[in-house]
Structures are given as structure tokens and as C-alpha cells.
Amino acid sequence: MRSWALRQLKESAGQYAASAAVVAIVSAFAVLLLETTEVFSAAVASAGLDAVDAVRMGLGTVTVVFLGIAVVVAVLVISNTFSMVYAGRVRDIALLRLIGATGKQVRRTSLIDGVAVGLTGAVLGIVAGVLISLAAIAGISASTGAELSFIFVPQLILVPLIGSLVATVAASYAGSREVSRVAPIEATRSSAEGQRLPERAARGRSITGVVLFMAGLGLLGLGTVVGIAAPVGLLIAFPGGVLSIAGVIIGSPVLIPPVVALVARLLPRSAANRLAAANLLHDPVRTARTVISVVIGVTLLTMFTVAGEMFIAATRDYLGQGDDVASVIDGLLQAVYALTSFSVIVAAIGLGSTLSMSVLQRRRQIGVLRALGLTTRQTRRMLLAESLLVTVVGVIVGLVLGTLYGFVGANSILGSQYFGPPLLPPVFLIVLVVGALAFGALASLAPGRRASGIAPAVALREA
Amino acid sequence: MPNPLSEPLPPRSATPAASSPAAQVVALTKTFGDGDSAVHALRGVDLAIQRARITAVMGQSGSGKSTLLQTMAGLEPPTSGRVLLGDQEITGMNDETLTRLRRTRMGFVFQSFNLLPALDALENIRLPFLLAGTGVSADTEAWIEILLTRLGLADRAHHRPQQLSGGQQQRVAIARALVTRPDVLFADEPTGSLDSASSRDVLELLRAASGEWGQTIVLVTHDPVAASAADRVVRMSDGVIVDDWAGGSAESIAERMLEAGAR
Ligand SMILES: Nc1ncnc2c1ncn2[C@@H]1O[C@H](COP(=O)(O)OP(=O)(O)O)[C@@H](O)[C@H]1O
Ligand SMILES: [Mg+2]
């Protein structure tokens, strides 16, 4: 069993590259955030200011929030990889089950993959993070004359290492849930099935998702109302935001596909579009995970932008003071964009690798389509449409959620003095939409090229 | 299952001169790889496929049957020789043109059915029109209705492939191959994954398509029972055609194959 697992791991190494990269990026991000906290605190302390605790607290919160979000996105992306890799092993697993392996044993082998990916990514990420920190510290010291130096604390290694292992093992466990249920009989069946939640699990998920989302909305509403009376609404609204986004994530395999179907219906009725939609809807779990990884980034960007704009408007209109506050908030927004970019990069890698792996899995199907008359151009368009559908749905859902959170967030703090409508700057909207479309198109390039290179004769060769 | 042959197939709209072959290969060779590892899958094959007939291609595993079918269908480029569809030379056509040709003038049935799991039975049958981007005409809709009924799939139209038995999946695949009324239907071991009852259904359907509707069919098989549905049997061995006769009963075909094998 162990040697089988190790052999499988070796064969899947290429497919895990993207996941290891994702882990490395998040680990490096963790090192950068932690080191920033240390260096900043030391600088404040050496300047003789007694704000050290406040600085630590503030940067610590930033670290927890943004790192936490990046980790959630990474886990979504990596679970997708694992579930697709494992889906490719269905026949093998069924054979193992046939000769007596239990579902539990099969599941345990997934740990090996999880640990391998987590360890590889963490080591690379920690090294990269430390190197970037050293370079940044040297750069800042040289340009500002400040006496900054690299500070080593054990957390720099422990946090990303342990975090990566926990996250990848959790993701591999989530990804292996489907295959550990593989019945021995499936050794004789084809492995091209999409992942569907069993009827009961789907119902359970959608109910849990909707209940959490509704409860979250309730708190968001309450927070807004309280915010009109006193600036403490955020204390109520914040858990509401967390609950509602958790509801969206949990319910996503049930809630996202209908949105995909709706958007797909608005596209021109070409073969490429129609097939793309069918492919996405055929595997609601995978599609939901990919969409959600986009949703999270867009939600964050939108939320901070909307709240930031509302703060600027409030200070201008109500307090009558303008430009200083505006430039401070603009600066904060830039920092937030930079912090969010890590999650966005992770989502982009996830989209590209999910598409690539789905092409690998669908070689035969694509061969059939080519034999039946799908041109190479149509093949590339099909992948482009899949990618764009995911991004567009992600952007729509993210914009709705982000605008809601930004609006509630701002009013729950400011509402008692200035209750304002949500503000979504057109420039932001344009950059977001254009950026997302470009990112979707880019992610589909390599998988599209690979798909259009599949020879139609593949369909006739026996697997 | 209702008898799939209870309704007649509509006549073919335009029947070209019965004498000219529907497809033809001339001095065809195909070599995979090169140097020491080269495999000569076809070593000079001449074959003309008659219209409105079933031509069975038999032979042992590895004798080049599938390679011949794929090359004839423009799925693999030949190493040398010519491939014609009707009187049109397809050797050297670019991928785009070939793809369009397959879409409109050829039909395919595979051993492992190869329906798209993301589409239901009816969508799978309509797939060639979806790929062509042409709507489905009222005439074709009626034709699809007839196919569904005749293939015993009327109540399965909205089932996914995974919800269908192997025999049902293969019947959907045949409907998909017949829906465009192709010049040639290429079938590679279409009964290879089916039990004997489903195999019989599939063979009866192919017989009906050729006998009543004039469908030209190239049927690759190593099974004498399947070959007994054919009007003509050619036997391949080691990349060349070594026998060519009018077929007959499964027993007589099996006997002739055995004799040849013993020699
Ligand atoms: N794509 C390929 N690459 C290399 N060799 C091939 C390929 N396809 C077929 N062959 C070889 O060509 C020969 C004929 O194969 P095939 O046409 O599939 O035979 P059959 O269908 O009669 O079993 C075999 O030796 C096979 O291994
Ligand atoms: Mg073969």
C-alpha cells in the first residue's frame, strides 16, 4: 500500500507543481508578514516610542486576517488538485479495494501526498520569504538610512511549516473524500465521472450554507442599524460578514452552478460556449471551488474599495476636511491591494492548473469531440469559455458580496454621523473587469493549446 | 425493448452512382516511429468501400485494422499512398478542412461508446449539429425522433450516459453517427464491449441502416458474429489485406479465419 502510494506520488509530481507553488507563495507571504511585524516593532522600540504593543497588535491583526484569507484560497485550490489527481487514480484505487484495502487505508495514503506537497511548498516558501525579507530590509536601510536588520524568530519557520502541513493535509483529505468511497466494482467502470455530491450531502450543504448566509445577513443588517446609533456596529457586522461568506463557501457546490448556468445562457450559443458550460456544470464541486477562489479575491478588493471611498466621501461631505484623509485612505487601500494580491495570485494559479488538469483528464473526450468535428480553434475557444465563465461568475458574486460588506462595514462605523450609499468607483470597476477577463483569458492559454493538440485518433485508441 | 426495426428508415435523399466507391485507399502505408522502433502498421493496402454496404475488416489484434480505419477517416495521416472520400482526395488536407469533412460526411462509432458524460442522450445525438453551429432543421428533428424511436431510446432522451446500460449507450452513439446521414460510418469494434444480446441489437441496427437506408459502413471487428452482418469481409494480417470475400454466416466466417490462421 505504501509503495503504491509512493509510486502514485511520483507519477503525479508534475500535477502537484502548481499546488506546491501555491503553498510556497502563501508560506513566503507568511514569512514577510511576520518579519515585517518583528522589524517594525524593533524599529518602534529603538526609537524609544512606547507604542510597541499597539504596533504588534495592529500588524498581528493584519497578518492573521490576510494570511488567513490566503490560506483559505490556497486550501480551496489545493483540494481541487488533490481531488482531480485522485480521480485519475480511481481504477487503481478500485483494484486495491478489490484485493481488500479498506476505504480508510485508501484515505490514509492521501496523507503522503498532502505531506509531500506541504513540505516542499513550505521549504521553498520559507527560503524565498527569508531572501525577499533580507533584500527588502537591505533596500529600505540603504534608501532611508534607517538601521534595520533581519530578526530571526522561530515563528518564521514554525508558522509557515506547520500551517502548510495542516492546510495541505486538510486539503488532501477533503480531496480524497470522493475516492475513498470508490467501490471495488468501479475497477471495471470508466473514470471520467464528474464529482457530484450525493443527494443528501447536497441538500445538507445547501441548507447549512443558506442558514449561515441568512444569519450572517441578519447580523450585517443589525450592525448597520446599530451603526446609525453608535459607532460600534462593526462589532456586530464583522461576525455577520464571516458567517455569510462561510455560508457562501459551504453552500457553493449547490449555489454556484445555477449562477454559472444563468451566465452561460447569456453567452452566444456556440459549440464552444455550450460545451464549456456543460463541462463546468458536470462537476459542480470542482467548479464551485474554482469560482470561490476568484470570489474571495474580488470580494476583498471590492469591500475595501467601497468602504474606503465611503470614508473619503464621509470625511469630505460631513467633516468638511478632505485631501489629507483621502490620501491616507488611498495609501491604506494600496497596502490592502498589495496584501490581497497574494490571494489573487493563488486564485489565478488555481484556475490555470484546474483547467490544465481537466484537459489531462478529458483527453479522450476531447479526442472524441475532435473526431466528431470540433476544430482546433473551437477547442481553444471551449477552454477560453470555461475560464471566462469561472472568472465572470467569480467577479459578479464577488462584486455583490464586496459591495455589501463595504457598505455595511463603513456604515456600521460611520453611520451615526454620516450614513452613505455604497460607492463603487467606475475606474475600479473597469480595472477589475478588464483585469479579470485578461486573467481568465491568460489562464486558458496553456490548457487551450494542450487541448487543441490532442489528436482525434486518441478517441479510438483503447485506454 | 420495442423492436428497433419496426419503422422503416426514410430513403436517402440523393443516391450517387452506386458504382463509384464511397471511400477508397490506394497503396496505403503507415509506419509509426522510425529506425529500430518503427512499426509498419500498414504495408500497402488497396481497398474500395462500396456504397450502401457493410464492409467488415477482420484480423488478429495488431494486424492494422484500427490503423486502416483511422487513416481512411483522416484521423491519422498516411505515410504514403492515397485516401479518397467519394472522389475527393483527403490526403494532405489541412486539419480544419479535414475536421469539417469528418463533421459533415463521416460518422464514428467506437468500442467504448465515447458519449460525452456532461451531455444527455439527446444532446449527444445533436452534438454534430452543435459542433457545426448549424441549427437543427425541422426535417432533422423529425429524423432524430425516428432514430430515437427506432433505437428504443425515446424514453431515455434526457438520461445521462452514466445512467444508461452499455447497449443503450452504444445505440445513442449509433444515433449520433447516423444523424448527419454521413457518406461513410466508421465503426471500430462497436460490439467489443457489449454482451451478446446488446451486440445483436447493435448489429441489427447497422444492418437496417445499410439495407433500408443505404448507409455505407466500415466495420472493424475480430468477432465472426459481428462480421456476419457484413456484405463483404476483408481479412488483414500484418498490415496487408490477405483475403476478401462476400462473408456469410458467423460459422463460415470463423471457419475461413481458422483455416487461414492454420496455414
Ligand atoms: N499510435 C501508435 N503508435 C505506435 N504504434 C501504433 C500506434 N497505433 C497502432 N500502433 C501499432 O500498429 C500496429 C497495428 O495496430 P492496430 O491498427 O491498432 O491493430 P488492430 O486494430 O488490428 O488490433 C500494432 O503493432 C500497434 O502496436
Ligand atoms: Mg483495433
Side-chain angles (χ1 to χ4, degrees):
Chain A
M1 197 80 189
R2 206 48 178 276
S3 65
W4 173 80
L6 288 172
R7 186 161 39 78
Q8 292 290 323
L9 173 63
K10 219 156 116 196
E11 275 176 20
S12 313
Q15 291 172 289
Y16 283 142
S19 291
V22 161
V23 174
I25 289 171
V26 178
S27 297
F29 185 37
V31 171
L32 289 176
L33 286 170
L34 292 166
E35 183 63 16
T36 305
T37 308
E38 293 303 324
V39 172
F40 236 79
S41 308
V44 170
S46 72
L49 303 172
D50 53 26
V52 177
D53 285 345
V55 167
R56 270 196 176 278
M57 180 84 154
L59 288 174
T61 310
V62 168
T63 303
V64 168
V65 171
F66 284 92
L67 189 56
I69 290 163
V71 168
V72 169
V73 177
V75 168
L76 285 167
V77 164
I78 300 169
S79 337
N80 248 359
T81 307
F82 282 122
S83 73
M84 293 174 80
V85 169
Y86 297 152
R89 295 182 193 165
V90 159
R91 266 162 195 266
D92 270 35
I93 291 172
L95 270 174
L96 286 174
R97 300 276 280 114
L98 205 60
I99 56 175
T102 64
K104 213 162 160 187
Q105 278 176 310
V106 167
R107 221 162 161 169
R108 217 175 297 137
T109 61
S110 71
L111 284 184
I112 297 185
D113 295 53
V115 169
V117 172
L119 216 63
T120 314
V123 169
L124 290 176
I126 292 169
V127 171
V130 169
L131 291 178
I132 296 171
S133 302
L134 285 170
I137 289 169
I140 294 171
S141 302
S143 64
T144 63
E147 297 262 311
L148 300 178
S149 57
F150 184 83
I151 299 170
F152 179 80
V153 285
Q155 295 95 289
L156 284 188
I157 290 176
L158 293 181
V159 170
L161 189 65
I162 296 172
S164 297
L165 286 175
V166 170
T168 49
V169 167
S172 83
Y173 203 67
S176 73
R177 219 168 21 200
E178 289 293 314
V179 288
S180 67
R181 287 204 216 101
V182 166
I185 184 77
E186 311 215 7
T188 56
R189 258 190 250 156
S190 103
S191 61
E193 310 274 299
Q195 267 194 88
R196 293 173 164 275
L197 292 176
E199 206 61 37
R200 260 187 54 202
R203 192 138 26 92
R205 260 188 182 235
S206 62
I207 291 172
T208 314
V210 169
V211 166
L212 283 180
F213 186 69
M214 286 310 189
L217 277 190
L219 288 179
L220 287 170
L222 188 65
T224 314
V225 173
V226 169
I228 296 174
V232 293
L234 190 63
L235 295 178
I236 300 169
F238 185 75
V242 174
L243 275 186
S244 60
I245 193 81
V248 170
I249 294 174
I250 291 171
S252 62
V254 189
L255 307 175
I256 293 289
V259 186
V260 174
L262 192 76
V263 174
R265 216 163 300 145
L266 302 177
L267 295 178
R269 273 193 65 89
S270 71
N273 292 343
R274 178 72 194 81
L275 290 169
N279 283 331
L280 289 176
L281 295 174
H282 184 58
D283 199 332
V285 174
R286 182 204 302 165
T287 301
R289 284 196 193 120
T290 326
V291 170
I292 287 294
S293 69
V294 178
V295 165
I296 291 176
V298 175
T299 303
L300 279 176
L301 294 173
T302 310
M303 171 174 84
F304 284 110
T305 305
V306 168
E309 286 299 316
M310 289 173 68
F311 268 95
I312 293 174
T315 46
R316 281 232 170 88
D317 293 4
Y318 183 80
L319 303 172
Q321 47 179 246
D323 295 342
D324 292 353
V325 178
S327 75
V328 168
I329 291 177
D330 263 344
L332 284 176
L333 274 181
Q334 299 306 324
V336 164
Y337 292 156
L339 291 169
T340 310
S341 67
F342 284 84
S343 303
V344 172
I345 292 170
V346 168
I349 294 177
L351 179 60
S353 86
T354 303
L355 281 174
S356 286
M357 291 179 69
S358 81
V359 168
L360 222 62
Q361 253 179 22
R362 284 184 291 165
R363 272 181 67 78
R364 206 184 163 77
Q365 280 181 47
I366 294 171
V368 172
L369 285 168
R370 296 276 292 114
L372 296 183
L374 189 78
T375 63
T376 51
R377 217 165 96 129
Q378 283 178 311
T379 312
R380 280 193 299 272
R381 291 225 174 126
M382 177 173 80
L383 269 296
L384 176 66
E386 275 182 48
S387 190
L388 288 183
L389 266 173
V390 166
T391 13
V392 167
V393 171
V395 165
I396 292 173
V397 175
L399 272 175
V400 170
L401 288 177
T403 307
L404 175 72
Y405 294 156
F407 167 76
V408 170
N411 280 323
S412 66
I413 298 170
L414 291 175
S416 57
Q417 290 151 40
Y418 177 90
F419 188 90
L423 296 175
L424 199 58
V427 176
F428 170 79
L429 207 57
I430 291 167
V431 171
L432 180 74
V433 170
V434 172
L437 292 181
F439 144 136
L442 221 66
S444 83
L445 279 187
R449 200 170 327 115
R450 195 182 284 178
S452 64
I454 294 175
V458 165
L460 287 127
R461 265 178 229 137
E462 279 321 301
Chain B
M1 196 190 87
N3 176 7
L5 307 178
S6 54
E7 261 180 78
L9 289 158
R12 204 181 172 83
S13 42
T15 315
S19 54
S20 72
Q24 198 174 355
V25 298
V26 181
L28 192 68
T29 74
K30 176 74 186 177
T31 305
F32 292 105
D34 48 21
D36 287 345
S37 62
V39 178
H40 302 282
L42 300 177
R43 311 167 177 260
V45 176
D46 291 284
L47 180 64
I49 302 298
Q50 293 143 311
R51 289 185 194 277
R53 299 278 183 274
I54 300 182
T55 305
V57 179
M58 296 193 72
Q60 289 181 341
S61 175
S63 57
K65 306 182 294 292
S66 296
T67 307
L68 174 61
L69 178 132
Q70 290 170 23
T71 320
M72 264 192 167
L75 294 168
E76 287 276 8
T79 304
S80 71
R82 300 168 61 201
V83 180
L84 292 100
L85 180 68
D87 50 13
Q88 197 173 4
E89 177 101 37
I90 70 167
T91 344
M93 266 186 188
N94 69 25
D95 186 75
E96 173 93 16
T97 323
L98 261 178
T99 305
R100 285 175 197 285
L101 210 66
R102 283 199 300 273
R103 186 196 277 169
T104 48
R105 294 176 57 193
M106 302 181 200
F108 292 93
V109 178
F110 310 96
Q111 173 173 351
S112 42
F113 326 138
N114 281 341
L115 301 178
L116 289 207
L119 304 179
D120 68 23
L122 189 57
E123 290 171 317
N124 264 289
I125 295 173
R126 289 207 178 114
L127 191 57
F129 299 104
L130 179 68
L131 296 181
T134 55
V136 179
S137 66
D139 189 34
T140 306
E141 280 297 352
W143 175 218
I144 292 175
E145 275 308 308
I146 293 171
L147 280 174
L148 280 174
T149 317
R150 295 240 3 209
L151 273 60
L153 295 165
D155 56 344
R156 296 281 191 281
H158 295 291
H159 284 49
R160 300 268 169 153
Q162 307 88 287
Q163 301 167 305
L164 299 174
S165 72
Q168 290 168 335
Q169 288 188 50
Q170 195 61 307
R171 278 183 266 146
V172 173
I174 291 175
R176 181 175 71 184
L178 288 174
V179 77
T180 55
R181 308 179 200 209
D183 292 1
V184 186
L185 189 160
F186 294 99
D188 193 349
E189 308 272 8
T191 58
S193 309
L194 298 177
D195 59 41
S196 55
S198 303
S199 293
R200 211 172 319 118
D201 283 351
V202 161
L203 293 170
E204 271 178 38
L205 282 169
L206 293 179
R207 268 262 38 108
S210 114
E212 296 170 36
W213 180 49
Q215 178 64 54
T216 308
I217 297 172
V218 178
L219 171 66
V220 162
T221 182
H222 64 266
D223 175 12
V225 175
S228 70
D231 303 290
R232 174 190 180 194
V233 180
V234 301
R235 186 168 81 84
M236 291 193 70
S237 176
D238 210 11
V240 288
I241 290 178
V242 292
D243 200 358
D244 186 345
W245 75 103
S249 68
E251 293 75 30
S252 75
I253 294 173
E255 208 166 301
R256 187 155 175 160
M257 298 290 290
L258 268 179
E259 274 169 25
R263 239 179 290 141

